[in-house]
């Protein structure tokens, strides 16, 4: 930061002024005077002045301590600071969150862009706005326009690289993005090797910071500001991209900006420490870039919403996500052995908010998550599974499982999903004792996971039995979860507590939605005035709001949103939610057209308040 250089410049200026009267010759005096003039110009250039406007771009990336120093110094000088950025993008690596906190504190008083102008397609403008605020409805747009691919990690890396290389060969500017540095390094190495093989880059390049090499013709990026390395009237900055035009024997590189212009020679020590290949990059390094196409490798559910948002908003023409589905997703909605899909990974990512927040905001978020039906339902099913595990194991043994088979079933990750299905069958008044022996018969023939096979058979049996709802007197929870009957008092008390908390939460969500005049509430129909019908209406509304929160449905227009076609558990509970609504209030087969404009993409803040 230039503020850090101020004290040193003042000391050098003081020493130079003291040395001027003692100059040994006129030539030395002229040299010292010129040095004084340069130092004075630098001090004046970077000093704040009364009435000056200081603009901090990409302010979300600025650390809180740095912002505090800048604004305090500007206030002392009588200058005004303007923060420009997007709170939904990546935040500072060090302690941050000040920019987002200011945006949320100012609320509607924060000026914002009315529309995103980068994108060629109108649908992508809207989808990016939904993605920005973590609305899973955004995935519907990307999926509809074939912007989501899924598969194992190696397959996705291969597809992303191939598509990126094709765009580059076609003369487009394209970004190849990954969520981790190991994948970035592997992609850069492959790009360099392919270019050497094709003859467009010379072999035997100079060693770079990441251990790779760069030859003449390679595209590189600098990772450190250095004002001593002049490129025309400017200097080498962090994030600048260049093309290598000459490699020196000592490891130095002469480079030219990718769009032409003057050249600069990067010394060997700078190359070793601060230069990397620039074919693939991370989201942090890509923030602020604008290209024709972008190919983003989503390496797993541990990625954050901000990283995904940056990755899918860099390109004008097309932003494509390549989702790795061979990384485990925490099945928070409940026990399930359903295959991981692109939608489940991306939905999980969109729920991972990585931006730094204040302690107050963090506490509020944690309380909200702990009280959510999504969390409470997962706790309920976990407690029920452990409380009933022995009972199900005994029933499976009576139904024909050998001790070895039983050990395989109870040790399987799918045993939780199987126990939930057995509990659901009981809630439908189905005779498990009679059916299980038939369902177990030949279940282990050629199977890898016996528990998973049994789970699928039980679910199919329930569906084929024509049971559309849980039985009326079983005390099913919010019309979605089959209630568990357990003998152990402590476990029973824990289940009862969470069932009550879910009901209270559902009532709170109904109140919130009606207070906010959420458009989807209209699909529930008007609340009756007489007590009996009003109670029935509220029971149906509880099921809908419980489904929405359990499966993170945020669609403002459709009460049930769009279910993940690859998630059988969600599709099943969606059917329960649909049946809980009266025929006249059920949502249409096609959701209404979205007429709202995309949310703004940048915020402008004056923290000093002038």
């Amino acid at each position: 930061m230039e503020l850090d250089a101020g004290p040193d410049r003042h000391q050098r200026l003081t020493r130079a002024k003291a040395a001027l009267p003692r100059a040994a010759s006129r030539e030395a005096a002229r040299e010292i005077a010129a040095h004084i003039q340069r130092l004075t110009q630098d001090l004046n250039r970077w000093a704040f002045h009364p009435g000056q406007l200081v603009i901090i771009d990409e302010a979300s990336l600025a650390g809180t301590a740095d912002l505090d120093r800048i604004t305090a110094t500007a206030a002392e000088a009588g200058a005004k600071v303007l923060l420009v950025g997007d709170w939904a993008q990546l935040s500072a690596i060090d302690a941050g969150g000040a920019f987002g906190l200011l945006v949320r504190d100012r609320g509607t008083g924060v000026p914002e862009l009315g529309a995103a102008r980068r994108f060629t397609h109108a649908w992508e403008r809207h989808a990016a706005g939904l993605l920005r605020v973590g609305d899973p409805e955004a995935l519907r747009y990307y999926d509809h326009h074939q912007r989501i691919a899924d598969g194992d990690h190696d397959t996705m890396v291969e597809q992303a690289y191939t598509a990126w290389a094709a765009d580059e060969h076609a003369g487009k500017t394209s970004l190849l993005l990954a969520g981790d540095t190991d994948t970035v390094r592997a992609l850069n190495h492959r790009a360099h090797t392919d270019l050497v093989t094709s003859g467009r880059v010379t072999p035997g390049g100079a060693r770079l910071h990441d251990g790779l090499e760069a030859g003449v013709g390679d595209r590189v990026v600098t990772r450190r500001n250095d004002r001593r390395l002049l490129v025309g009237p400017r200097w080498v900055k962090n994030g600048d991209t260049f093309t290598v035009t000459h490699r020196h024997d000592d490891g130095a590189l002469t480079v030219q900006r990718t769009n032409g212009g003057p050249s600069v020679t990067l010394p060997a020590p700078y190359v070793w420490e601060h230069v990397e290949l620039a074919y693939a990059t991370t989201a942090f390094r890509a923030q602020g870039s604008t290209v024709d196409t972008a190919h983003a490798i989503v390496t797993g559910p541990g990625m954050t919403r901000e990283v995904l948002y940056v990755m899918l908003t860099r390109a004008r023409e097309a932003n494509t996500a390549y989702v790795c589905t061979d990384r485990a997703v925490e099945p928070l909605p409940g026990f399930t052995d359903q295959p991981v899909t692109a939608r489940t990974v991306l939905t999980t990512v969109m729920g991972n908010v990585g931006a730094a927040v204040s302690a107050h905001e963090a506490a509020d978020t944690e309380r909200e998550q702990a009280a959510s039906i999504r969390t409470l339902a997962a706790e309920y099913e976990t407690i029920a599974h452990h409380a009933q595990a022995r009972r199900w194991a005994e029933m499976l043994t009576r139904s024909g499982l050998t001790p070895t088979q039983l050990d395989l079933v109870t040790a399987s990750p799918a045993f939780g999903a199987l126990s939930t299905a057995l509990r659901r069958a009981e809630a439908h008044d189905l005779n498990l004792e009679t059916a299980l022996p038939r369902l177990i018969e030949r279940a282990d023939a050629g199977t890898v996971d016996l528990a998973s096979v049994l789970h699928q058979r039980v679910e199919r049996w329930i569906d084929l039995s024509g049971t559309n709802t849980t039985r009326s007197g079983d005390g099913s929870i919010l019309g979605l979860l089959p209630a568990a009957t357990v003998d152990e008092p402590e476990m029973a008390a824990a289940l009862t507590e969470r069932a009550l908390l879910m009901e209270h939460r559902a009532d709170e969500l109904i109140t919130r939605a009606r207070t906010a005049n959420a458009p989807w509430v209209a699909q529930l129909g008007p609340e009756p005035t007489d007590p009996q019908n009003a109670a029935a209406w509220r029971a149906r509304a509880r099921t809908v709001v419980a489904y929405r929160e359990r499966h993170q449905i945020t669609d403002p227009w459709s009460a049930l949103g769009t279910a993940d076609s690859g998630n059988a558990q969600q599709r099943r509970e969606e059917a329960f939610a649909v049946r809980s609504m009266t025929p006249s209030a059920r949502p249409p087969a096609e959701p209404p057209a979205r007429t709202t404009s995309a949310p703004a993409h940048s915020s402008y803040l004056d923290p000093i308040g002038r």
Side-chain angles (χ1 to χ4, degrees):
M1 188 186 300
E2 292 298 333
L3 287 177
D4 296 331
D8 178 65
R9 289 192 181 112
H10 276 292
Q11 291 179 3
R12 291 160 58 196
L13 180 60
T14 299
R15 290 195 299 267
K17 287 181 177 179
L20 182 59
R22 303 192 301 270
S25 63
R26 289 185 178 179
E27 182 178 348
R30 283 196 297 270
E31 185 175 338
I32 294 173
H35 181 57
I36 291 172
Q37 184 179 12
R38 286 194 298 271
L39 287 172
T40 303
Q41 288 175 346
D42 284 342
L43 284 168
N44 289 334
R45 180 182 182 186
W46 296 108
F48 294 143
H49 305 287
Q52 188 178 45
L53 177 63
V54 180
I55 300 175
I56 301 179
D57 196 14
E58 297 290 354
S60 67
L61 289 173
T64 300
D66 289 337
L67 284 179
D68 182 63
R69 289 175 54 210
I70 292 171
T71 53
T73 304
E76 291 175 3
K80 178 178 181 178
V81 176
L82 182 68
L83 307 186
V84 181
D86 187 350
W87 57 266
Q89 293 192 38
L90 298 166
S91 60
I93 295 176
D94 53 3
F99 183 71
L101 177 62
L102 286 168
V103 171
R104 290 183 285 273
D105 183 64
R106 297 290 179 89
T108 57
V110 178
E112 295 192 273
L113 290 178
R117 300 182 180 276
R118 169 179 293 163
F119 305 107
T120 302
H121 306 288
W123 73 263
E124 196 158 11
R125 297 189 194 110
H126 182 65
L130 296 173
L131 181 65
R132 178 176 182 253
V133 296
D135 190 336
E137 183 67 12
L139 303 179
R140 186 170 70 100
Y141 292 90
Y142 287 102
D143 187 50
H144 178 74
H145 291 278
Q146 291 81 50
R147 296 290 184 78
I148 298 176
D150 62 354
D152 61 74
H153 179 270
D154 291 344
T155 301
M156 290 299 94
V157 169
E158 177 67 27
Q159 287 189 14
Y161 179 84
T162 301
W164 167 84
D167 285 346
E168 287 275 317
H169 185 71
K172 296 180 179 180
T173 59
S174 185
L175 273 177
L176 186 55
L177 299 156
D180 62 277
T181 54
D182 289 341
T183 303
V184 167
R185 186 183 185 280
L187 290 167
N188 275 325
H189 181 259
R190 178 176 177 181
H192 168 79
T193 302
D194 287 352
L195 290 170
V196 170
T197 302
S198 66
R200 285 180 286 174
V201 169
T202 60
R207 183 175 63 82
L208 305 179
H209 170 65
D210 53 8
L212 301 179
E213 293 183 342
V216 175
D218 261 324
R219 191 160 69 229
V220 297
V221 59
T222 53
R223 293 301 177 202
R224 185 180 180 85
N225 296 339
D226 195 324
R227 294 183 179 280
R228 298 168 297 180
L229 301 176
L230 299 179
V231 191
R234 300 184 179 275
W235 59 89
V236 172
K237 298 186 296 299
N238 180 24
D240 283 349
T241 55
F242 297 93
T243 299
V244 178
T245 58
H246 184 74
R247 180 176 65 86
H248 300 268
D249 292 339
D250 64 351
L253 293 175
T254 298
V255 298
Q256 184 181 37
R257 293 197 186 276
T258 52
N259 57 355
S263 299
V264 60
T265 297
L266 306 176
Y270 184 91
V271 172
W272 299 335
E273 295 295 329
H274 309 300
V275 176
E276 298 173 3
L277 291 173
Y279 304 111
T281 188
T282 63
F284 272 96
R285 294 169 180 173
Q287 184 162 314
S289 301
T290 299
V291 293
D292 295 327
T293 64
H295 303 275
I297 302 169
V298 181
T299 47
M303 187 179 288
T304 66
R305 177 201 302 174
E306 292 82 5
V307 169
L308 181 66
Y309 173 53
V310 169
M311 280 182 160
L312 293 183
T313 55
R314 298 303 92 202
R316 305 179 189 90
E317 298 177 12
N319 296 274
T320 305
Y322 301 81
V323 185
C324 303
T325 55
D326 53 348
R327 311 294 174 91
V329 177
E330 178 66 27
L332 184 58
F335 291 107
T336 178
D337 59 355
Q338 297 298 320
V340 176
T341 65
R343 186 178 181 115
T344 57
V345 172
L346 293 174
T347 300
T348 302
V349 169
M350 292 175 74
N352 297 335
V353 179
V357 296
S358 67
H360 177 73
E361 290 176 305
D364 286 346
T365 300
E366 289 180 3
R367 282 195 296 269
E368 188 75 4
Q369 289 176 345
S372 73
I373 289 173
R374 179 177 170 86
T375 300
L376 292 170
E379 291 177 359
Y380 187 96
E381 292 192 331
T382 301
I383 295 170
H385 167 67
H386 287 291
Q388 295 182 309
R390 178 179 295 180
R391 180 187 169 212
W392 300 134
E394 293 173 352
M395 184 179 292
L396 289 168
T397 300
R398 292 195 302 272
S399 300
L401 283 189
T402 67
T404 300
Q405 290 174 323
L406 182 64
D407 288 342
L408 292 175
V409 168
T410 56
S412 168
F415 185 39
L418 173 60
S419 67
T420 300
L422 294 173
R423 178 159 46 90
R424 192 163 73 88
E426 275 199 335
H428 289 310
D429 274 336
L430 298 177
N431 193 327
L432 283 170
E433 295 283 2
T434 301
L436 269 181
R438 296 197 306 271
L439 296 174
I440 287 174
E441 187 177 344
R442 294 183 57 79
D444 61 342
T447 184
V448 175
D449 189 339
L450 179 58
S452 181
V453 172
L454 289 176
H455 169 230
Q456 298 302 323
R457 287 188 175 188
V458 172
E459 293 286 10
R460 191 159 52 247
W461 169 54
I462 296 172
D463 293 338
L464 292 174
S465 298
T467 53
N468 295 330
T469 61
T470 53
R471 65 178 187 248
S472 60
D474 72 339
S476 64
I477 303 163
L478 301 175
L480 296 180
L481 300 178
T485 302
V486 299
D487 297 327
E488 205 280 313
E490 187 175 347
M491 289 288 196
L495 291 171
T496 300
E497 177 186 15
R498 281 156 181 80
L500 290 174
L501 288 172
M502 280 189 273
E503 290 183 2
H504 292 322
R505 176 69 172 181
D507 286 335
E508 179 186 350
L509 293 175
I510 293 170
T511 301
R512 287 186 188 181
R514 298 182 71 180
T515 302
N517 291 321
W520 65 264
V521 175
Q523 294 179 350
L524 298 177
E527 181 175 6
T529 55
D530 62 289
Q532 184 176 356
N533 289 332
W537 180 92
R538 181 156 290 268
R540 294 193 300 270
R542 283 174 176 168
T543 300
V544 173
V545 296
Y547 172 81
R548 285 177 66 89
E549 185 163 74
R550 179 161 159 83
H551 295 288
Q552 297 179 298
I553 304 299
T554 56
D555 190 327
W557 300 97
S558 172
L560 305 183
T562 305
D564 180 359
S565 59
N567 188 330
Q569 178 187 4
Q570 183 179 358
R571 294 200 314 273
R572 187 178 302 111
E573 293 185 5
E574 180 190 41
F576 292 158
V578 168
R579 295 184 192 108
S580 74
M581 303 167 71
T582 59
S584 61
R586 290 175 186 172
E590 292 294 329
R594 269 57 172 174
T595 57
T596 55
S597 60
H601 281 247
S602 293
S603 303
Y604 300 84
L605 287 174
D606 171 13
I608 298 177
R610 285 194 292 274

